[in-house]
C-alpha cells in the first residue's frame, strides 16, 4: 500500500465534503434533491434501508445495516425499524423517546452504537448529505431561514416540507448581520461526528450533586457578559449542551432511568413539543432522535413510580432479550474473537457451538408441552426438526414463554471465560471440553447468580457435555467411514436392491446360487432404525427413496451415497456401529500396531483436511472418543 498516495486521496475526499455557499445556492440543491432536508427520524430510516433489506427463509425481514454486528434478535430490530418508519412519515410516534430494555450484554448499546456510527458514515455519502447554517452551534437546517408566511407556497410549488424555527444565535445573526437578507446567509455541508460534537450527542448520568443541567442545554458564557451586557443576548450563551449539538441527528441517553429527575424534565418538552428550554430564551426547536437503554429492574421501578407517568407516556419501549439461536450465538463469539489480537491459538470445531448451547440453555424457559425438553426446544429454535416437533411448533413455544431471553448467561460472560482459557501458558488450542471447564470454573466468580441458579447452570454444563459426546462420536464416525467408503457404497447398493424388491413386490436373485430370495427385512431395518424410522413409517421411507432415484434418473443423474441426507446418515451410523469395535480398539489402545496406526493417521489427516482440526486437537478428539466408547 502506498500510504502517501492514500492520504492524498483521503484529503481529496475530505475537501469534497467542505462545500460552502449561500442560502440561494442551497435552495437550488434542495429543489433538485429534497432528501437533503429530511428530518432526523426519516434520515435514520433511509440510512438503515439504503444499506439493503432481505427476507430470510422463515419470512423474517433482515436489515443488512445490522446483520454484520447484531445476531439473533430480528424481532426487536424490526420493532426499532418500524418506529423509525412511522416517525419518518411524521406520525405522532416521532415525538416519543425510544427506550431499549433488556438484560446486560444483550446488544442494546451495540444497536445504538451502530446507529451513531452509521449516521456519521451516511452523512459523508451523496445520499446522506446534510447542510447547515455556517457557525450555528446547533447546525441549523437552512430552510428555517424562510419566513413562516412563505413556507406554504414553498411546499406547494417545490414539494419541500419545512418544520421548525431558527435558534437564538441564528435569529440574532440574520436580524443584525444580514438585515433579513436570508439569501446571502452563508451555509456549509456538515458531517455528523460524535467526537467533534456534530449531530451526535451522548449523556451519561453521574453524581446528581455535581452534574449540572448545562451538560444537556448549555449555559451562560461568563467571559462575554461584560461585552454584551445582558444574559438574554444569544452571544452571551453557549449552545453546547448535548441536546443542542445533537440537533438534526441522534441523542443517546446512557441508562436514562438512572438519571436524576431534573434531567428527565427536559425530555418532557423535547419529546412532545420538540423544544428545548435554554437559559433566558424562548423555546428552541430541536429535531433529534432520543434513544436510551436500561435494564429490566430499573424499568420496573420507573413504571412503578407515579411521579414519572408523564414521561412514561412519552416512551416507546422495545424489549431486547438475549439471542435464542445457537447458530447466531456462535456468530456473536466469532465476531468478538476476530476483534482480538489473539491469532495463534486454534479454536477446535464445535467449541463455540458447545459454549453457545450452554448459554442458551440458561436463557430458555421450560415448556408445558409434553416431551419438550430444553434441548429439543433449543434445536427447534435453531431450525432443526425433531422427531415429535416441527418448525410450525416454534411460534406456539415462543408465545408460551413470556420472559424468555430476559435472564440467563450473557455473551459477555462466555467470551470472558473463553478469553481466560485462550491466554493460558502453552495453550495452542482449546476444545469444547476446555470451554465447558472454563465456563464451569467461572460460575464461582459470577457475582449475580444465586446458589440455586449455580446448581441449575452446572446441570446445563452436563447437558452441553452430553451433546458434545454425541457430536464427537459423529465426527470420528465420519472420518472413519470415509476410510471405508467402498464399504458404504456396497451397503447402500445392497439396501437399494432390497428396497426396490420390497416396493415392487418382487424377489431378489442370489448372485452365487442364482436362486430367488425374499427381500432382506433384517438388513433394511438395521439401517433404517439408525435414524429412528419406525415400523409403521418404513414403507413411506422406502418409497421416498425410490422416488428420489427416479427423479434423479430423469435428470440424467445417478443416486449415490450422498443423494439422500437421512439415508446417508443411516448408512454412516450403521457402518460405524459395525466398525464400533474397530474404532474402540484403534482410538483407545496405548500401543497401536502398524495397521491401527495407519488407520489413526488416515482419520487424523481427514479431520485436519476436511473438518478444520489441527493435529493436536484431532488427536485429543480421538482420545476423548476412545474413552467414550470404552465406558
Amino acid at each position: 500500500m502506498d500510504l502517501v498516495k492514500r492520504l492524498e486521496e483521503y484529503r481529496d475526499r475530505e475537501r469534497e465534503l467542505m462545500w460552502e455557499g449561500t442560502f440561494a445556492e442551497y435552495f437550488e440543491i434542495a429543489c433538485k434533491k429534497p432528501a437533503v432536508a429530511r428530518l432526523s427520524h426519516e434520515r435514520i430510516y433511509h440510512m438503515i434501508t439504503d444499506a439493503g433489506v432481505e427476507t430470510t427463509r422463515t419470512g423474517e425481514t433482515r436489515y443488512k445495516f445490522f446483520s454484520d454486528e447484531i445476531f439473533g434478535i430480528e424481532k426487536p430490530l424490526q420493532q426499532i425499524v418500524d418506529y423509525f418508519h412511522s416517525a419518518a412519515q411524521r406520525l405522532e410516534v416521532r415525538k416519543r423517546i425510544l427506550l431499549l430494555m433488556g438484560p446486560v450484554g444483550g446488544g442494546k448499546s451495540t444497536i445504538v452504537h451502530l446507529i451513531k456510527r452509521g449516521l456519521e458514515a451516511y452523512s459523508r455519502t451523496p445520499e446522506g448529505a446534510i447542510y447547515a447554517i455556517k457557525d450555528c452551534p446547533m447546525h441549523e437546517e437552512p430552510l428555517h431561514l424562510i419566513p413562516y408566511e412563505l413556507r406554504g407556497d414553498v411546499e406547494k410549488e417545490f414539494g419541500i416540507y419545512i418544520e421548525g424555527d431558527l435558534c437564538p444565535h441564528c435569529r440574532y445573526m440574520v436580524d443584525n448581520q444580514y438585515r433579513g437578507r436570508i439569501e446571502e446567509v452563508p451555509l456549509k455541508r456538515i458531517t455528523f461526528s460524535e467526537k467533534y460534537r456534530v449531530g451526535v450527542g451522548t449523556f451519561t448520568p453521574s453524581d446528581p450533586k455535581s452534574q449540572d443541567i448545562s451538560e444537556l442545554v448549555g449555559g451562560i458564557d461568563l467571559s462575554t457578559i461584560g461585552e454584551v451586557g445582558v444574559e438574554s443576548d444569544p452571544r452571551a450563551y453557549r449552545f453546547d449542551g448535548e441536546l443542542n449539538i445533537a440537533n438534526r441527528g441522534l441523542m443517546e441517553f446512557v441508562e436514562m432511568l438512572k438519571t436524576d429527575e431534573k434531567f428527565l424534565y427536559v425530555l418532557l418538552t423535547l419529546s412532545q413539543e420538540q423544544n428545548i428550554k435554554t437559559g433566558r430564551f424562548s423555546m428552541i426547536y430541536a429535531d433529534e432522535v432520543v434513544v436510551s437503554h436500561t435494564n429490566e429492574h430499573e424499568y420496573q421501578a420507573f413504571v412503578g413510580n407515579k411521579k414519572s407517568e408523564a414521561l412514561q407516556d412519552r416512551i416507546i419501549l422495545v424489549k431486547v432479550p438475549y439471542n435464542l439461536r445457537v447458530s447466531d450465538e456462535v456468530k456473536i463469539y466469532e465476531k468478538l474473537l476476530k476483534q482480538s489480537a489473539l491469532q495463534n491459538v486454534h479454536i477446535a470445531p464445535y467449541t463455540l457451538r458447545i459454549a453457545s448451547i450452554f448459554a442458551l440453555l440458561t436463557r430458555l424457559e421450560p415448556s408445558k408441552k409434553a416431551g419438550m425438553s430444553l434441548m429439543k426446544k433449543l434445536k427447534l429454535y435453531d431450525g432443526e426438526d425433531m422427531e415429535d416437533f416441527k418448525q410450525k411448533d416454534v411460534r406456539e413455544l415462543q408465545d408460551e414463554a413470556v420472559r424468555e431471553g430476559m435472564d440467563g448467561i450473557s455473551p459477555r460472560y462466555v467470551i470472558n471465560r473463553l478469553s481466560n482459557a485462550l491466554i493460558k501458558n502453552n495453550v495452542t488450542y482449546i476444545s469444547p471440553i476446555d470451554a465447558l471447564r472454563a465456563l464451569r470454573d467461572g460460575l464461582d466468580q459470577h457475582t449475580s447468580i444465586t446458589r440455586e441458579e449455580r446448581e441449575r447452570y452446572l446441570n446445563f454444563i452436563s447437558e452441553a457435555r452430553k451433546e458434545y459426546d454425541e457430536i464427537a462420536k459423529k465426527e470420528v464416525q465420519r472420518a472413519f467411514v470415509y476410510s471405508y467408503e467402498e464399504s458404504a457404497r456396497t451397503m447402500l447398493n445392497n439396501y437399494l436392491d432390497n428396497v426396490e424388491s420390497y416396493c415392487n413386490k418382487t424377489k431378489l436373485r442370489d448372485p452365487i446360487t442364482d436362486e430367488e430370495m425374499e427381500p432382506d427385512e433384517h438388513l433394511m431395518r438395521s439401517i433404517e432404525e439408525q435414524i429412528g424410522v419406525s415400523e409403521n413409517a418404513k414403507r413411506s421411507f422406502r418409497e421416498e427413496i425410490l422416488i428420489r432415484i427416479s427423479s434423479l434418473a430423469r435428470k440424467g443423474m445417478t443416486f449415490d451415497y450422498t443423494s439422500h441426507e437421512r439415508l446417508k446418515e443411516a448408512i454412516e451410523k450403521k457402518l460405524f456401529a459395525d466398525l464400533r469395535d474397530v474404532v474402540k480398539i484403534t482410538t483407545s489402545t496405548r500401543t497401536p500396531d502398524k495397521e491401527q496406526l495407519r488407520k489413526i493417521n488416515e482419520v487424523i489427516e481427514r479431520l485436519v483436511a476436511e473438518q478444520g482440526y489441527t493435529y493436536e486437537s484431532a488427536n485429543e478428539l480421538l482420545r476423548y472418543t476412545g474413552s467414550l466408547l470404552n465406558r
Side-chain angles (χ1 to χ4, degrees), residues 163-182:
E163 176 182 288
D165 201 1
L166 292 172
C167 71
H169 177 277
C170 292
R171 173 61 58 203
Y172 181 90
M173 178 189 66
V174 170
D175 291 345
N176 293 278
Q177 193 173 341
Y178 291 94
R179 306 293 178 186
R181 295 184 61 79
I182 65 169

Side-chain angles (χ1 to χ4, degrees), residues 148-213:
Y148 277 97
E149 292 79 4
L150 300 180
R151 291 184 181 183
D153 294 334
V154 169
E155 184 173 5
K156 188 183 294 183
E157 186 167 345
F158 300 103
I160 299 173
Y161 174 78
I162 307 170
E163 176 182 288
D165 201 1
L166 292 172
C167 71
H169 177 277
C170 292
R171 173 61 58 203
Y172 181 90
M173 178 189 66
V174 170
D175 291 345
N176 293 278
Q177 193 173 341
Y178 291 94
R179 306 293 178 186
R181 295 184 61 79
I182 65 169
E183 62 273 22
E184 297 174 6
V185 173
L187 312 179
K188 67 175 183 177
R189 181 173 174 181
I190 62 170
T191 54
F192 286 158
S193 169
E194 185 175 23
K195 182 166 60 175
Y196 293 108
R197 306 188 76 227
V198 179
V200 181
T202 304
F203 182 80
T204 305
S206 60
D207 181 10
K209 292 177 183 176
S210 61
Q211 196 165 30
D212 191 78
I213 197 72

Side-chain angles (χ1 to χ4, degrees), residues 228-241:
V228 301
V230 292
E231 292 182 5
S232 58
D233 191 307
R235 292 171 296 174
Y237 199 89
R238 291 179 289 104
F239 297 92
D240 62 352

Side-chain angles (χ1 to χ4, degrees), residues 435-486:
L436 289 176
R437 191 180 295 120
L439 290 167
R440 181 200 64 199
D441 293 346
L443 291 177
D444 291 330
Q445 302 165 22
H446 202 297
T447 55
S448 61
I449 63 171
T450 63
R451 183 187 294 272
E452 291 75 18
E453 283 175 326
R454 184 180 181 280
E455 291 303 315
R456 196 161 57 90
Y457 290 176
L458 286 173
N459 288 334
F460 291 145
I461 284 178
S462 297
E463 285 289 306
R465 168 77 178 269
K466 288 175 189 171
E467 188 66 19
Y468 175 61
D469 289 351
E470 293 305 310
I471 289 171
K473 285 188 273 191
K474 283 181 181 176
E475 284 286 270
V476 175
Q477 166 187 314
R478 272 195 214 101
F480 262 92
V481 166
Y482 277 123
S483 300
Y484 293 88
E485 208 155 353
E486 192 57 44

Side-chain angles (χ1 to χ4, degrees), residues 411-427:
R412 204 171 285 157
Y413 171 80
V414 174
I415 208 69
N416 287 348
R417 298 310 305 163
L418 289 176
S419 302
N420 185 266
L422 286 163
I423 60 168
K424 286 184 177 176
N425 289 334
N426 302 318
V427 168

Side-chain angles (χ1 to χ4, degrees), residues 80-137:
I80 291 168
V81 176
D82 288 345
Y83 161 80
F84 283 113
H85 192 185
S86 299
Q89 311 301 316
R90 301 199 297 274
L91 295 170
E92 189 70 10
V93 72
R94 73 192 173 114
K95 298 179 180 179
R96 305 288 181 269
I97 297 163
L98 181 63
L99 179 63
L100 309 181
M101 185 268 285
V104 294
K108 307 182 297 296
S109 302
T110 306
I111 292 170
V112 181
H113 175 81
L114 276 177
I115 294 174
K116 291 198 293 187
R117 296 295 83 80
L119 262 179
E120 292 175 345
Y122 191 60
S123 68
R124 303 173 73 85
T125 65
E127 298 79 17
I130 184 169
Y131 301 81
I133 298 173
K134 191 175 181 180
D135 298 325
C136 172

